[in-house]
Amino acid sequence: MKFLAITLIVHRPDPVTGLQKPTHDRFREVLGNALLAEELGFDGFGVGERHERPFLSSSPTVVLSYIAALTQRIRLFTAVTTLSLLDPVRAYEDYATLDHLADGRLDLIIGKGNGAAQRDLFHVTPGDQWDRNAESYEVFRRIWREDKVTAATRFRPPLTDAEVWPRPYQRPVRVWHGSATSKESVDLAARYGDPLFSANVTHPIEPYAELIRHYRERWEHYGHDPARIAVGAGTAGVYVARTSQAALNAYRPVFEANLAFQKESGLPVVFETLEDFADRSSALIGSPQQIIDKVHRYHEQFGHTVLHVQADAGGLTDEQHRASLELFQSEVASVLRDEIPDPPFSWAPVAPALADR
């Protein structure tokens, strides 16, 4: 199993202290978390893309390029690239450039994105977002593989023998499809034989397991080898301590503050208590053995071999956050890497092009 640390660069007051860092300091914190992830042995670091409050992740290519310059080993992920909002030609140019600067360490997780504010900003409607996502991905995929592209597009000017530079470093880059509830995203991934990343962070396991089963069915429907499926999954929170009670005690202020925020904002509340959250959500809160057991329970339903955890402290102190991630790597990840082997084809970097053409 492989492990990612992911941030959406949420920028709102700390849920426990109520203090909000300046924008500049929040970006510096993201850079520090990326360096910490590489230091502790995480396999990847991901940055989301959102174009509305309370997120600062509107320019993931810029943030990831800076992280690429600071790091040596860790793979860089987008989480997710909102192709329904983007011109696929411009998106390709940005990510191909980033992949060169990162020496081929880039992976993409794509998705349609969500949120009315960012749809309005880019003049995307709920009725056309799925078609935009599919068209943008098809064009993006072709540009990465073909030197000249002709495409009769609906949502951008058509392409005729279009050459797009720079030519890529990885040919092709690996693209995961991120999905929380959408069969459309799952079908798109299965159609092209691409890996799936389940954003299973809001509800109990059942709806996400059903979606992954649908992905496997559609994968076989499109004639792909079932043995070559790769699935990743998320977590709703993480805190590892020596004992279950110590973990619950440390995480309780975070949970209660987030619960209060949900209620004040009129957001749906799925888990009313910390104990229920730790038991039935994808959050990993407990002792190392409890977390190992929980990941196995999810693996029985998902068959996933890649797992992401939150890169940000999210209400924990910096000391608590680092101690939790250190324990996660030393006593959880080290065990799961052996007990849940990762298929080589789902992680091995794609060979770079021998030369630009």
Side-chain angles (χ1 to χ4, degrees):
M1 180 167 267
K2 302 291 187 182
F3 299 92
L4 317 180
I6 285 180
T7 178
L8 301 181
I9 320 186
V10 177
H11 190 232
R12 64 180 180 88
D14 183 286
V16 176
T17 67
L19 300 177
Q20 180 164 316
K21 295 181 178 180
T23 298
H24 177 79
D25 293 354
R26 184 68 181 95
F27 278 121
R28 303 308 299 185
E29 183 177 54
V30 170
L31 301 179
N33 287 337
L35 290 170
L36 176 63
E38 178 162 87
E39 174 191 340
L40 296 182
F42 279 86
D43 302 285
F45 188 86
V47 174
E49 180 179 335
R50 298 291 189 279
H51 300 271
E52 59 186 333
R53 289 179 181 272
F55 305 100
L56 298 177
S57 50
S58 59
S59 299
T61 49
V62 176
V63 178
L64 288 170
S65 292
Y66 201 110
I67 292 171
L70 297 176
T71 57
Q72 299 295 322
R73 174 197 57 81
I74 201 165
R75 291 193 67 79
L76 307 176
F77 282 73
T78 63
V80 299
T81 295
T82 53
L83 276 182
S84 65
L85 308 180
L86 306 177
D87 182 321
V89 175
R90 192 69 185 96
Y92 165 82
E93 291 173 334
D94 284 345
Y95 283 111
T97 300
L98 168 57
D99 196 40
H100 276 281
L101 297 176
D103 293 329
R105 288 188 283 143
L106 176 65
D107 277 57
L108 295 177
I109 306 175
I110 69 159
K112 71 169 182 62
N114 53 32
Q118 62 181 9
R119 283 200 305 266
D120 292 345
L121 188 64
F122 289 91
H123 299 281
V124 174
T125 70
D128 68 20
Q129 61 185 349
W130 294 113
D131 290 339
R132 286 177 178 272
N133 187 60
E135 177 184 287
S136 290
Y137 180 55
E138 181 178 351
V139 173
F140 183 92
R141 178 186 176 88
R142 288 185 58 196
I143 294 173
W144 210 281
R145 288 164 170 78
E146 302 172 23
D147 292 334
K148 294 184 178 182
V149 174
T150 296
T153 50
R154 291 174 53 201
F155 300 107
R156 60 143 291 127
L159 301 172
T160 303
D161 287 335
E163 289 187 284
V164 189
W165 292 82
R167 297 312 298 146
Y169 187 82
Q170 294 182 92
R171 291 195 177 181
V173 70
R174 180 173 43 201
V175 177
W176 302 70
H177 294 245
S179 180
T181 58
S182 162
K183 287 188 175 181
E184 288 89 345
S185 292
V186 163
D187 189 82
L188 188 66
R191 186 190 320 164
Y192 285 107
D194 292 332
L196 181 72
F197 220 107
S198 175
N200 58 310
V201 298
T202 305
H203 298 284
I205 191 172
E206 289 79 12
Y208 306 110
E210 180 181 353
L211 204 63
I212 292 172
R213 286 192 293 270
H214 181 70
Y215 168 67
R216 294 179 184 276
E217 292 168 3
R218 299 304 292 170
W219 180 280
E220 294 194 41
H221 169 80
Y222 288 114
H224 304 300
D225 181 357
R228 295 190 65 82
I229 284 177
V231 175
T235 56
V238 60
Y239 191 77
V240 193
R242 287 296 174 188
T243 68
S244 172
Q245 196 57 53
L248 291 171
N249 289 343
Y251 202 82
R252 192 173 301 279
V254 176
F255 174 82
E256 291 180 348
N258 285 330
L259 180 64
F261 176 80
Q262 289 176 310
K263 292 180 176 179
E264 290 168 5
S265 303
L267 299 173
V269 174
V270 179
F271 306 102
E272 290 279 1
T273 68
L274 174 59
E275 286 72 17
D276 189 35
F277 180 67
D279 180 43
R280 293 195 306 122
S281 81
S282 61
L284 302 178
I285 301 169
S287 68
Q289 190 58 54
Q290 284 178 307
I291 291 174
I292 291 168
D293 292 343
K294 187 170 189 178
V295 172
H296 274 290
R297 291 199 303 273
Y298 268 72
H299 178 71
E300 289 172 3
Q301 295 286 322
F302 290 177
H304 63 302
T305 55
V306 181
L307 180 72
H308 88 58
V309 302
Q310 283 67 37
D312 302 310
L316 299 167
T317 67
D318 291 341
E319 293 76 13
Q320 287 175 318
H321 182 55
R322 182 182 180 104
S324 171
L325 293 184
E326 287 177 342
L327 194 56
F328 179 89
Q329 278 293 336
S330 64
E331 298 194 19
V332 176
S334 61
V335 173
L336 292 172
R337 289 182 195 280
D338 292 333
E339 294 182 350
I340 304 177
D342 189 58
F345 58 82
S346 78
W347 192 262
V350 178
L354 294 178
D356 289 338
R357 290 180 291 198

